[in-house]
Amino acid sequence: MSQEGNGEPQQQEQAQQEQSQSSPRGIEALKAHVLEHKVDTALWATRALTLVFCISYLIPIFGNPYSSYQKVLVSNAATSALRLHQRIPSVQLTREFFLQLLMEDSAHYLLYSIIFMYTASITMVLAPIFLFALLHFASYTLSLLDVIGQNNALGSRFLISLVEFQHRNILRAAAFVEIFLMPLCVVSLFLGRVSLITPFVYYRFLLLRYSSRRNPYTRNMFHELRMTAEYTVNKPGIPAFLRNAVNRAIVFISGLAPAVVAQ
């Protein structure tokens, strides 16, 4: 999945609008666009499938919900692999290549799909996948509508609103779920819903998300949660034992955070 975040859909839309004045429109233009941007179109299709399978899981009218859950993870893995191929087209068996691979957000969510592929279904796991797929599907749909000259339709205005005005809220919501999946994995371990290795591998995933160069929202959300917790427990009337427990938890969690290189 293309989980790179900060403002990318907006930048794509602005570039597309600048080119729209002189570009040919209609079905023939759409065909030419698809042939010229095969990987981008394939990403759009896999994201559409992701959305369909998510809805099928939540509203199991047709088929088995667990089957839909698995299909969401598979389509997300396909999206992530395609996006990773775009970002790093050549494979090299070197340490530098592996380190570069781990810095890519698409590699993070390829790992995310693998982590939960063979566990019991956990609805919250699908939330970040759905949100990222929705955001980037809407962004590229605007590109296709612009190609065929339908960017002023009612549906287009809704997509523009989603991409321009809600993309930060969507990314913040995805980051929030990423963080709270960590304690949920621990609880699920004791409930027998995940394997012993799942919380440890997910912790590594969360470290990668925290260190992301292209999407700072997980790191920012940790900071927001810390500020909120500190503000809440320092209010008058909060018992001292609760304040001390929360402060110790904050110190412990902050100590687990990796060092982040300034960009």
Side-chain angles (χ1 to χ4, degrees), residues 172 217 219-229:
R172 290 179 73 252
Y217 285 91
R219 187 163 59 252
N220 293 344
M221 182 56 65
F222 266 112
H223 178 70
E224 290 182 34
L225 290 172
R226 174 176 180 169
M227 298 298 291
T228 301

Side-chain angles (χ1 to χ4, degrees), residues 61-253:
I61 300 176
F62 304 103
N64 185 348
Y66 185 72
S67 175
S68 298
Y69 179 87
Q70 291 290 311
K71 289 175 182 177
V72 172
L73 295 174
V74 170
S75 61
N76 177 65
T79 302
S80 300
L82 281 170
R83 183 62 178 142
L84 199 56
H85 174 69
Q86 275 190 325
R87 296 281 301 165
I88 310 178
S90 60
V91 177
Q92 301 175 7
L93 299 179
T94 63
R95 181 175 180 274
E96 290 74 16
F97 172 81
F98 183 69
L99 292 175
Q100 182 184 3
L101 189 72
L102 289 180
M103 290 190 292
E104 293 294 333
D105 289 2
S106 300
H108 303 169
Y109 262 82
L110 182 57
L111 174 63
Y112 184 89
S113 290
I114 295 172
I115 291 171
F116 296 106
M117 190 76 72
Y118 302 105
T119 66
S121 57
I122 303 173
T123 301
M124 190 181 290
V125 167
L126 302 187
I129 295 176
F130 178 84
L131 291 172
F132 283 125
L134 177 64
L135 180 62
H136 292 284
F137 175 80
S139 176
Y140 200 71
T141 299
L142 280 175
S143 305
L144 299 180
L145 290 172
D146 185 60
V147 168
I148 62 177
Q150 297 295 325
N151 55 353
N152 290 321
L154 180 61
S156 299
R157 290 196 293 271
F158 169 76
L159 294 177
I160 291 171
S161 174
L162 182 69
V163 173
E164 287 190 352
F165 303 114
Q166 299 301 324
H167 80 283
R168 291 184 183 277
N169 291 332
I170 290 173
L171 293 171
R172 290 179 73 252
F176 182 85
V177 176
E178 287 175 358
I179 293 170
F180 275 90
L181 272 173
M182 184 69 252
L184 182 60
C185 283
V186 175
V187 173
S188 297
L189 172 63
F190 290 103
L191 294 177
R193 297 180 60 83
V194 302
S195 67
L196 180 62
I197 198 175
T198 302
F200 296 99
V201 180
Y202 189 81
Y203 169 68
R204 300 303 304 177
F205 164 82
L206 202 56
L207 291 181
L208 292 172
R209 298 302 292 156
Y210 186 92
S211 304
S212 175
R213 298 178 303 172
R214 296 171 61 84
N215 186 339
Y217 285 91
T218 301
R219 187 163 59 252
N220 293 344
M221 182 56 65
F222 266 112
H223 178 70
E224 290 182 34
L225 290 172
R226 174 176 180 169
M227 298 298 291
T228 301
E230 289 178 341
Y231 173 78
T232 301
V233 299
N234 286 317
K235 287 182 177 180
I238 298 297
F241 78 91
L242 181 58
R243 181 183 301 111
N244 293 333
V246 172
N247 286 330
R248 283 195 293 269
I250 290 173
V251 171
F252 173 74
I253 294 173

Side-chain angles (χ1 to χ4, degrees), residues 6 18 23 34-35 39-40 58 61 68 115-116 133 135 206 243:
N6 193 5
E18 291 173 0
S23 301
V34 169
L35 292 174
V39 176
D40 288 328
L58 295 173
I61 300 176
S68 298
I115 291 171
F116 296 106
L135 180 62
L206 202 56
R243 181 183 301 111

